[in-house]
Amino acid sequence: MAGRTDLKHRLVTRFQRHLANPLNRRLPFQVLLETTGRTSGLPRQTPVGGRRVGTSFWLVSEFGHRSQYVRNIQADPRVRVRIAGHWHRGTAHLLPDDDPVARLRSLPRFNSAAVKAFGTDLLTVRVDLED
């Protein structure tokens, strides 16, 4: 099963990195999560799906601690989130004790379906927004 999970991870991340993410980053309504590259120190923008609830933005990472943006958050939790075309600064928190499947039920359906279908190690992320 681990081999199948690794293959799924490689295929999905290759598709996202080379096709889906470059296209989605250009869409003005697409939510973007901006982290700081843990090695380069450069801003890294990743299209994500999630929902703002009050002063927090919630999302579920489909590959958990294997996701590059999650690894960047572990190195530096200060992030920015573009919601409805506006950038918000915040601090990201990884929530391994949260139930990511239950969390997906409260997030946008289309993205949640994709995360459940393609994900192999779900992890809830909460961004506490400053502005």
Side-chain angles (χ1 to χ4, degrees), residues 77-81 88-92 127-131:
R78 294 171 299 165
V79 300
R80 292 191 324 149
V81 182
H88 304 271
R89 294 187 186 285
T91 303
V127 178
D128 294 333
L129 304 171
E130 298 170 7
D131 48 356

Side-chain angles (χ1 to χ4, degrees), residues 29-74:
F29 57 84
Q30 175 66 52
V31 175
L32 295 177
L33 175 67
E34 185 177 85
T35 60
T36 301
R38 63 192 173 283
T39 303
S40 69
L42 297 173
R44 301 294 184 202
Q45 294 179 353
T46 305
V48 296
R51 174 168 284 140
R52 183 176 185 162
V53 179
T55 59
S56 296
F57 183 82
W58 292 86
L59 67 128
V60 174
S61 168
E62 60 197 342
F63 297 116
H65 290 90
R66 293 180 72 181
S67 295
Q68 297 301 315
Y69 69 86
V70 168
R71 295 170 70 190
N72 289 343
I73 288 169
Q74 288 177 306

